[in-house]
Amino acid sequence: MNKRITIYRGSHQIGGCVTEIKTENHRIVIDFGQNLPDSKADDVMTDEELLRTIFHGESCDGVLFTHYHGDHIGMYKNIPKDIPLYIGPTAKKILEILTEKLDSIPETVEKGLPRVQGMKEFCPGQKISKFGDIRVTPFVVDHSALDAYMFLIEIDGKKILFTGDFREHGIAGEGNTLEKMVNKYIGKVDILITEGTMLSRREEARWNPIQTEKDLGKRARELFQENKESVILVSSTNLDSIMEFYHALPWGMGFVCDAYQAKLMLAAMEDKGKYYPKYRPEMIHGKPRSLFIVGKMEGLGREQNCYKADFDILMNKGFTMLARESKPMFAEIMAKFPDPLIIYSKWSGYLEGEHANAKIQEFIGNHRMEKLHTSGHAYVETIEKLIRLTNPEVIIPMHTECAEEFGKIEAFVSYCDKVRVLQDGEEFYF
Ligand SMILES: [Zn+2]
Ligand SMILES: [Zn+2]
């Protein structure tokens, strides 16, 4: 039987990802991501070429998204309307809140919410049998996007594990869950398609004292105790870090954010609190910790334990405020604080160098700042562990700037004969 894998985008970059799995009669696409704005790769297909190549003429049984980051989902609006889209249930809720906000920006030409609402939800651990001879089982995996998935794809007796973005040093990875899951449900595979973001960031990872989300929470608690006023720059959907900050805040201090951020937290807690204690509310005197809202309340209130932020009171008690450099309101509010500490909880690459972000630099200005961030991606040791556990015949790297060097990296040398580097658009038959 003729069956093949093609990475159309993402074989040699950290950024847009698009992968196709095809048999004689069926075809699925995994992720349909936008290239990052500062993508270096100039030889990759343009969006138009990509759309024409993938969706012109040939039928497609579905597009499955590993998670809601833009480099995996960003081009969903361009997918022909008759092709079903699949995503995890909590990821869909997060994406709905995010899309509602994006749709409300006047420059947004095409509203995304109807398409997002129409996405089908898959169930963790349950085989999807909608794609003919291609059977896909999604498994929850730890990542800086909540409710991210790996896919086990079974075709004609062959097993492919597609990792998507993953790690094991966040909340979902605690307690060696990756190893337990692979041993129990996946076992040996024929082909492993693995992300390799951290391969070009090994030095950075080595020197970061914050190796895990737990480390982040510990250091945050110290910072909150030492600083009565702090402002955290963190991605609004990096909910693992946000929940660590939320629980690290000492009693009596106020947790401040805007309504959009509060909605994301509430949705995450509602779904994931069942599985992870860190996603449950912090109980203070038998009551869940209140969220103090800056800007419009957007329908939130007492019922959700949300109250309008009053800085006359908050400045007395001490507080931390989650902020986004993209929303001018936060800088305006921050200007009223006497000496806030900025806790910078994003990739350090945005602070200086070729990926520097002017808005972030401007937001930080001359304020006191401490970096407090851990990567959303697997360290080399975690990738090596996954290779060891799944014992694949073929290893295909993607979502990495180090595809060509993959087999030469010390931890992977013993697997170098198995590494198969694909070019964007190259068809790999198996
Ligand atoms: Zn991601
Ligand atoms: Zn990614």
Side-chain angles (χ1 to χ4, degrees), residues 229 231 315 321 328-340 363 367:
E229 296 146 15
V231 175
M315 289 227 226
M321 177 173 80
M329 176 187 80
F330 289 111
E332 287 159 22
I333 294 173
M334 187 170 68
K336 296 178 197 139
F337 308 154
D339 184 26
F363 187 92
H367 289 99

mmCIF file with all atom_site columns, all heavy atoms in Angstrom, residues 229 231 315 321 328-340 363 367:
data_model
loop_
_atom_site.group_PDB
_atom_site.id
_atom_site.type_symbol
_atom_site.label_atom_id
_atom_site.label_alt_id
_atom_site.label_comp_id
_atom_site.label_asym_id
_atom_site.label_entity_id
_atom_site.label_seq_id
_atom_site.pdbx_PDB_ins_code
_atom_site.Cartn_x
_atom_site.Cartn_y
_atom_site.Cartn_z
_atom_site.occupancy
_atom_site.B_iso_or_equiv
_atom_site.pdbx_formal_charge
_atom_site.auth_seq_id
_atom_site.auth_comp_id
_atom_site.auth_asym_id
_atom_site.auth_atom_id
_atom_site.pdbx_PDB_model_num
ATOM 1   N N   . GLU A 1 229 ? 4.555  45.617 44.720 1.00 0.00 ? 229 GLU A N   1
ATOM 2   C CA  . GLU A 1 229 ? 3.890  45.833 43.431 1.00 0.00 ? 229 GLU A CA  1
ATOM 3   C C   . GLU A 1 229 ? 4.710  45.162 42.343 1.00 0.00 ? 229 GLU A C   1
ATOM 4   O O   . GLU A 1 229 ? 5.892  45.462 42.197 1.00 0.00 ? 229 GLU A O   1
ATOM 5   C CB  . GLU A 1 229 ? 3.820  47.330 43.101 1.00 0.00 ? 229 GLU A CB  1
ATOM 6   C CG  . GLU A 1 229 ? 2.988  48.130 44.048 1.00 0.00 ? 229 GLU A CG  1
ATOM 7   C CD  . GLU A 1 229 ? 3.568  49.528 44.242 1.00 0.00 ? 229 GLU A CD  1
ATOM 8   O OE1 . GLU A 1 229 ? 4.428  49.944 43.437 1.00 0.00 ? 229 GLU A OE1 1
ATOM 9   O OE2 . GLU A 1 229 ? 3.150  50.184 45.198 1.00 0.00 ? 229 GLU A OE2 1
ATOM 10  N N   . VAL A 1 231 ? 4.466  43.592 38.099 1.00 0.00 ? 231 VAL A N   1
ATOM 11  C CA  . VAL A 1 231 ? 3.715  43.481 36.850 1.00 0.00 ? 231 VAL A CA  1
ATOM 12  C C   . VAL A 1 231 ? 4.348  42.338 36.071 1.00 0.00 ? 231 VAL A C   1
ATOM 13  O O   . VAL A 1 231 ? 5.567  42.307 35.895 1.00 0.00 ? 231 VAL A O   1
ATOM 14  C CB  . VAL A 1 231 ? 3.807  44.799 36.043 1.00 0.00 ? 231 VAL A CB  1
ATOM 15  C CG1 . VAL A 1 231 ? 3.138  44.647 34.682 1.00 0.00 ? 231 VAL A CG1 1
ATOM 16  C CG2 . VAL A 1 231 ? 3.174  45.948 36.826 1.00 0.00 ? 231 VAL A CG2 1
ATOM 17  N N   . MET A 1 315 ? -2.908 48.871 46.518 1.00 0.00 ? 315 MET A N   1
ATOM 18  C CA  . MET A 1 315 ? -1.558 49.376 46.784 1.00 0.00 ? 315 MET A CA  1
ATOM 19  C C   . MET A 1 315 ? -1.202 49.219 48.258 1.00 0.00 ? 315 MET A C   1
ATOM 20  O O   . MET A 1 315 ? -0.037 49.076 48.606 1.00 0.00 ? 315 MET A O   1
ATOM 21  C CB  . MET A 1 315 ? -1.438 50.831 46.359 1.00 0.00 ? 315 MET A CB  1
ATOM 22  C CG  . MET A 1 315 ? -1.450 50.970 44.859 1.00 0.00 ? 315 MET A CG  1
ATOM 23  S SD  . MET A 1 315 ? -0.166 52.023 44.252 1.00 0.00 ? 315 MET A SD  1
ATOM 24  C CE  . MET A 1 315 ? -1.034 53.026 43.114 1.00 0.00 ? 315 MET A CE  1
ATOM 25  N N   . MET A 1 321 ? 0.092  42.223 38.875 1.00 0.00 ? 321 MET A N   1
ATOM 26  C CA  . MET A 1 321 ? -0.822 42.426 37.742 1.00 0.00 ? 321 MET A CA  1
ATOM 27  C C   . MET A 1 321 ? -0.274 41.721 36.504 1.00 0.00 ? 321 MET A C   1
ATOM 28  O O   . MET A 1 321 ? 0.860  41.954 36.100 1.00 0.00 ? 321 MET A O   1
ATOM 29  C CB  . MET A 1 321 ? -0.981 43.930 37.456 1.00 0.00 ? 321 MET A CB  1
ATOM 30  C CG  . MET A 1 321 ? -1.857 44.223 36.241 1.00 0.00 ? 321 MET A CG  1
ATOM 31  S SD  . MET A 1 321 ? -2.215 45.996 36.008 1.00 0.00 ? 321 MET A SD  1
ATOM 32  C CE  . MET A 1 321 ? -0.711 46.559 35.229 1.00 0.00 ? 321 MET A CE  1
ATOM 33  N N   . PRO A 1 328 ? -2.275 49.047 25.466 1.00 0.00 ? 328 PRO A N   1
ATOM 34  C CA  . PRO A 1 328 ? -1.726 50.264 26.089 1.00 0.00 ? 328 PRO A CA  1
ATOM 35  C C   . PRO A 1 328 ? -2.237 50.506 27.510 1.00 0.00 ? 328 PRO A C   1
ATOM 36  O O   . PRO A 1 328 ? -1.532 51.094 28.327 1.00 0.00 ? 328 PRO A O   1
ATOM 37  C CB  . PRO A 1 328 ? -2.197 51.389 25.156 1.00 0.00 ? 328 PRO A CB  1
ATOM 38  C CG  . PRO A 1 328 ? -2.506 50.721 23.855 1.00 0.00 ? 328 PRO A CG  1
ATOM 39  C CD  . PRO A 1 328 ? -2.923 49.323 24.173 1.00 0.00 ? 328 PRO A CD  1
ATOM 40  N N   . MET A 1 329 ? -3.453 50.031 27.815 1.00 0.00 ? 329 MET A N   1
ATOM 41  C CA  . MET A 1 329 ? -4.017 50.240 29.145 1.00 0.00 ? 329 MET A CA  1
ATOM 42  C C   . MET A 1 329 ? -3.052 49.813 30.268 1.00 0.00 ? 329 MET A C   1
ATOM 43  O O   . MET A 1 329 ? -2.948 50.473 31.297 1.00 0.00 ? 329 MET A O   1
ATOM 44  C CB  . MET A 1 329 ? -5.318 49.443 29.273 1.00 0.00 ? 329 MET A CB  1
ATOM 45  C CG  . MET A 1 329 ? -5.950 49.498 30.654 1.00 0.00 ? 329 MET A CG  1
ATOM 46  S SD  . MET A 1 329 ? -7.372 48.390 30.796 1.00 0.00 ? 329 MET A SD  1
ATOM 47  C CE  . MET A 1 329 ? -6.566 46.817 31.076 1.00 0.00 ? 329 MET A CE  1
ATOM 48  N N   . PHE A 1 330 ? -2.337 48.723 30.052 1.00 0.00 ? 330 PHE A N   1
ATOM 49  C CA  . PHE A 1 330 ? -1.484 48.204 31.127 1.00 0.00 ? 330 PHE A CA  1
ATOM 50  C C   . PHE A 1 330 ? -0.331 49.162 31.454 1.00 0.00 ? 330 PHE A C   1
ATOM 51  O O   . PHE A 1 330 ? -0.017 49.391 32.619 1.00 0.00 ? 330 PHE A O   1
ATOM 52  C CB  . PHE A 1 330 ? -0.955 46.811 30.768 1.00 0.00 ? 330 PHE A CB  1
ATOM 53  C CG  . PHE A 1 330 ? -2.016 45.748 30.791 1.00 0.00 ? 330 PHE A CG  1
ATOM 54  C CD1 . PHE A 1 330 ? -2.447 45.152 29.621 1.00 0.00 ? 330 PHE A CD1 1
ATOM 55  C CD2 . PHE A 1 330 ? -2.591 45.354 31.995 1.00 0.00 ? 330 PHE A CD2 1
ATOM 56  C CE1 . PHE A 1 330 ? -3.432 44.171 29.633 1.00 0.00 ? 330 PHE A CE1 1
ATOM 57  C CE2 . PHE A 1 330 ? -3.580 44.372 32.025 1.00 0.00 ? 330 PHE A CE2 1
ATOM 58  C CZ  . PHE A 1 330 ? -4.004 43.786 30.833 1.00 0.00 ? 330 PHE A CZ  1
ATOM 59  N N   . ALA A 1 331 ? 0.284  49.726 30.402 1.00 0.00 ? 331 ALA A N   1
ATOM 60  C CA  . ALA A 1 331 ? 1.389  50.666 30.643 1.00 0.00 ? 331 ALA A CA  1
ATOM 61  C C   . ALA A 1 331 ? 0.851  51.914 31.339 1.00 0.00 ? 331 ALA A C   1
ATOM 62  O O   . ALA A 1 331 ? 1.509  52.478 32.220 1.00 0.00 ? 331 ALA A O   1
ATOM 63  C CB  . ALA A 1 331 ? 2.065  51.027 29.328 1.00 0.00 ? 331 ALA A CB  1
ATOM 64  N N   . GLU A 1 332 ? -0.364 52.335 30.960 1.00 0.00 ? 332 GLU A N   1
ATOM 65  C CA  . GLU A 1 332 ? -0.972 53.519 31.591 1.00 0.00 ? 332 GLU A CA  1
ATOM 66  C C   . GLU A 1 332 ? -1.226 53.269 33.077 1.00 0.00 ? 332 GLU A C   1
ATOM 67  O O   . GLU A 1 332 ? -0.969 54.125 33.914 1.00 0.00 ? 332 GLU A O   1
ATOM 68  C CB  . GLU A 1 332 ? -2.297 53.871 30.891 1.00 0.00 ? 332 GLU A CB  1
ATOM 69  C CG  . GLU A 1 332 ? -2.095 54.493 29.516 1.00 0.00 ? 332 GLU A CG  1
ATOM 70  C CD  . GLU A 1 332 ? -3.325 54.366 28.626 1.00 0.00 ? 332 GLU A CD  1
ATOM 71  O OE1 . GLU A 1 332 ? -4.445 54.182 29.159 1.00 0.00 ? 332 GLU A OE1 1
ATOM 72  O OE2 . GLU A 1 332 ? -3.159 54.433 27.388 1.00 0.00 ? 332 GLU A OE2 1
ATOM 73  N N   . ILE A 1 333 ? -1.736 52.088 33.391 1.00 0.00 ? 333 ILE A N   1
ATOM 74  C CA  . ILE A 1 333 ? -1.986 51.762 34.805 1.00 0.00 ? 333 ILE A CA  1
ATOM 75  C C   . ILE A 1 333 ? -0.661 51.675 35.557 1.00 0.00 ? 333 ILE A C   1
ATOM 76  O O   . ILE A 1 333 ? -0.504 52.214 36.648 1.00 0.00 ? 333 ILE A O   1
ATOM 77  C CB  . ILE A 1 333 ? -2.768 50.430 34.934 1.00 0.00 ? 333 ILE A CB  1
ATOM 78  C CG1 . ILE A 1 333 ? -4.169 50.583 34.341 1.00 0.00 ? 333 ILE A CG1 1
ATOM 79  C CG2 . ILE A 1 333 ? -2.853 49.980 36.392 1.00 0.00 ? 333 ILE A CG2 1
ATOM 80  C CD1 . ILE A 1 333 ? -4.961 49.289 34.274 1.00 0.00 ? 333 ILE A CD1 1
ATOM 81  N N   . MET A 1 334 ? 0.311  51.028 34.928 1.00 0.00 ? 334 MET A N   1
ATOM 82  C CA  . MET A 1 334 ? 1.600  50.807 35.594 1.00 0.00 ? 334 MET A CA  1
ATOM 83  C C   . MET A 1 334 ? 2.282  52.136 35.931 1.00 0.00 ? 334 MET A C   1
ATOM 84  O O   . MET A 1 334 ? 3.002  52.232 36.931 1.00 0.00 ? 334 MET A O   1
ATOM 85  C CB  . MET A 1 334 ? 2.502  49.949 34.710 1.00 0.00 ? 334 MET A CB  1
ATOM 86  C CG  . MET A 1 334 ? 3.794  49.536 35.385 1.00 0.00 ? 334 MET A CG  1
ATOM 87  S SD  . MET A 1 334 ? 4.691  48.297 34.452 1.00 0.00 ? 334 MET A SD  1
ATOM 88  C CE  . MET A 1 334 ? 5.183  49.217 33.007 1.00 0.00 ? 334 MET A CE  1
ATOM 89  N N   . ALA A 1 335 ? 2.039  53.155 35.102 1.00 0.00 ? 335 ALA A N   1
ATOM 90  C CA  . ALA A 1 335 ? 2.675  54.465 35.322 1.00 0.00 ? 335 ALA A CA  1
ATOM 91  C C   . ALA A 1 335 ? 2.309  55.050 36.690 1.00 0.00 ? 335 ALA A C   1
ATOM 92  O O   . ALA A 1 335 ? 3.023  55.897 37.220 1.00 0.00 ? 335 ALA A O   1
ATOM 93  C CB  . ALA A 1 335 ? 2.276  55.418 34.200 1.00 0.00 ? 335 ALA A CB  1
ATOM 94  N N   . LYS A 1 336 ? 1.194  54.586 37.263 1.00 0.00 ? 336 LYS A N   1
ATOM 95  C CA  . LYS A 1 336 ? 0.761  55.122 38.569 1.00 0.00 ? 336 LYS A CA  1
ATOM 96  C C   . LYS A 1 336 ? 1.431  54.413 39.750 1.00 0.00 ? 336 LYS A C   1
ATOM 97  O O   . LYS A 1 336 ? 1.298  54.840 40.889 1.00 0.00 ? 336 LYS A O   1
ATOM 98  C CB  . LYS A 1 336 ? -0.763 54.968 38.714 1.00 0.00 ? 336 LYS A CB  1
ATOM 99  C CG  . LYS A 1 336 ? -1.542 55.771 37.695 1.00 0.00 ? 336 LYS A CG  1
ATOM 100 C CD  . LYS A 1 336 ? -3.043 55.540 37.874 1.00 0.00 ? 336 LYS A CD  1
ATOM 101 C CE  . LYS A 1 336 ? -3.796 55.991 36.647 1.00 0.00 ? 336 LYS A CE  1
ATOM 102 N NZ  . LYS A 1 336 ? -4.874 55.066 36.270 1.00 0.00 ? 336 LYS A NZ  1
ATOM 103 N N   . PHE A 1 337 ? 2.099  53.297 39.487 1.00 0.00 ? 337 PHE A N   1
ATOM 104 C CA  . PHE A 1 337 ? 2.741  52.575 40.598 1.00 0.00 ? 337 PHE A CA  1
ATOM 105 C C   . PHE A 1 337 ? 4.096  53.210 40.887 1.00 0.00 ? 337 PHE A C   1
ATOM 106 O O   . PHE A 1 337 ? 4.858  53.487 39.959 1.00 0.00 ? 337 PHE A O   1
ATOM 107 C CB  . PHE A 1 337 ? 2.945  51.087 40.256 1.00 0.00 ? 337 PHE A CB  1
ATOM 108 C CG  . PHE A 1 337 ? 1.709  50.371 39.774 1.00 0.00 ? 337 PHE A CG  1
ATOM 109 C CD1 . PHE A 1 337 ? 1.825  49.259 38.944 1.00 0.00 ? 337 PHE A CD1 1
ATOM 110 C CD2 . PHE A 1 337 ? 0.434  50.793 40.151 1.00 0.00 ? 337 PHE A CD2 1
ATOM 111 C CE1 . PHE A 1 337 ? 0.696  48.583 38.489 1.00 0.00 ? 337 PHE A CE1 1
ATOM 112 C CE2 . PHE A 1 337 ? -0.693 50.120 39.698 1.00 0.00 ? 337 PHE A CE2 1
ATOM 113 C CZ  . PHE A 1 337 ? -0.560 49.023 38.862 1.00 0.00 ? 337 PHE A CZ  1
ATOM 114 N N   . PRO A 1 338 ? 4.441  53.398 42.175 1.00 0.00 ? 338 PRO A N   1
ATOM 115 C CA  . PRO A 1 338 ? 5.702  54.077 42.507 1.00 0.00 ? 338 PRO A CA  1
ATOM 116 C C   . PRO A 1 338 ? 6.951  53.355 41.983 1.00 0.00 ? 338 PRO A C   1
ATOM 117 O O   . PRO A 1 338 ? 7.779  53.965 41.333 1.00 0.00 ? 338 PRO A O   1
ATOM 118 C CB  . PRO A 1 338 ? 5.693  54.117 44.033 1.00 0.00 ? 338 PRO A CB  1
ATOM 119 C CG  . PRO A 1 338 ? 4.303  53.809 44.461 1.00 0.00 ? 338 PRO A CG  1
ATOM 120 C CD  . PRO A 1 338 ? 3.635  53.075 43.356 1.00 0.00 ? 338 PRO A CD  1
ATOM 121 N N   . ASP A 1 339 ? 7.086  52.066 42.265 1.00 0.00 ? 339 ASP A N   1
ATOM 122 C CA  . ASP A 1 339 ? 8.325  51.389 41.850 1.00 0.00 ? 339 ASP A CA  1
ATOM 123 C C   . ASP A 1 339 ? 8.059  49.907 41.579 1.00 0.00 ? 339 ASP A C   1
ATOM 124 O O   . ASP A 1 339 ? 8.537  49.037 42.310 1.00 0.00 ? 339 ASP A O   1
ATOM 125 C CB  . ASP A 1 339 ? 9.392  51.552 42.957 1.00 0.00 ? 339 ASP A CB  1
ATOM 126 C CG  . ASP A 1 339 ? 10.718 50.946 42.532 1.00 0.00 ? 339 ASP A CG  1
ATOM 127 O OD1 . ASP A 1 339 ? 10.983 50.871 41.312 1.00 0.00 ? 339 ASP A OD1 1
ATOM 128 O OD2 . ASP A 1 339 ? 11.488 50.530 43.424 1.00 0.00 ? 339 ASP A OD2 1
ATOM 129 N N   . PRO A 1 340 ? 7.291  49.617 40.531 1.00 0.00 ? 340 PRO A N   1
ATOM 130 C CA  . PRO A 1 340 ? 6.928  48.206 40.306 1.00 0.00 ? 340 PRO A CA  1
ATOM 131 C C   . PRO A 1 340 ? 8.106  47.382 39.782 1.00 0.00 ? 340 PRO A C   1
ATOM 132 O O   . PRO A 1 340 ? 8.962  47.907 39.074 1.00 0.00 ? 340 PRO A O   1
ATOM 133 C CB  . PRO A 1 340 ? 5.845  48.301 39.230 1.00 0.00 ? 340 PRO A CB  1
ATOM 134 C CG  . PRO A 1 340 ? 6.185  49.540 38.468 1.00 0.00 ? 340 PRO A CG  1
ATOM 135 C CD  . PRO A 1 340 ? 6.789  50.494 39.466 1.00 0.00 ? 340 PRO A CD  1
ATOM 136 N N   . PHE A 1 363 ? 7.780  48.774 26.849 1.00 0.00 ? 363 PHE A N   1
ATOM 137 C CA  . PHE A 1 363 ? 6.984  48.527 28.052 1.00 0.00 ? 363 PHE A CA  1
ATOM 138 C C   . PHE A 1 363 ? 7.889  48.453 29.288 1.00 0.00 ? 363 PHE A C   1
ATOM 139 O O   . PHE A 1 363 ? 7.598  49.023 30.327 1.00 0.00 ? 363 PHE A O   1
ATOM 140 C CB  . PHE A 1 363 ? 6.197  47.212 27.907 1.00 0.00 ? 363 PHE A CB  1
ATOM 141 C CG  . PHE A 1 363 ? 5.227  46.951 29.024 1.00 0.00 ? 363 PHE A CG  1
ATOM 142 C CD1 . PHE A 1 363 ? 3.905  47.363 28.924 1.00 0.00 ? 363 PHE A CD1 1
ATOM 143 C CD2 . PHE A 1 363 ? 5.620  46.298 30.192 1.00 0.00 ? 363 PHE A CD2 1
ATOM 144 C CE1 . PHE A 1 363 ? 2.997  47.132 29.956 1.00 0.00 ? 363 PHE A CE1 1
ATOM 145 C CE2 . PHE A 1 363 ? 4.726  46.063 31.228 1.00 0.00 ? 363 PHE A CE2 1
ATOM 146 C CZ  . PHE A 1 363 ? 3.409  46.484 31.102 1.00 0.00 ? 363 PHE A CZ  1
ATOM 147 N N   . HIS A 1 367 ? 12.188 50.395 34.095 1.00 0.00 ? 367 HIS A N   1
ATOM 148 C CA  . HIS A 1 367 ? 11.711 49.734 35.313 1.00 0.00 ? 367 HIS A CA  1
ATOM 149 C C   . HIS A 1 367 ? 12.665 48.629 35.757 1.00 0.00 ? 367 HIS A C   1
ATOM 150 O O   . HIS A 1 367 ? 13.414 48.079 34.955 1.00 0.00 ? 367 HIS A O   1
ATOM 151 C CB  . HIS A 1 367 ? 10.326 49.124 35.075 1.00 0.00 ? 367 HIS A CB  1
ATOM 152 C CG  . HIS A 1 367 ? 9.241  50.138 34.952 1.00 0.00 ? 367 HIS A CG  1
ATOM 153 N ND1 . HIS A 1 367 ? 8.747  50.551 33.741 1.00 0.00 ? 367 HIS A ND1 1
ATOM 154 C CD2 . HIS A 1 367 ? 8.567  50.843 35.892 1.00 0.00 ? 367 HIS A CD2 1
ATOM 155 C CE1 . HIS A 1 367 ? 7.806  51.453 33.936 1.00 0.00 ? 367 HIS A CE1 1
ATOM 156 N NE2 . HIS A 1 367 ? 7.675  51.656 35.230 1.00 0.00 ? 367 HIS A NE2 1
#
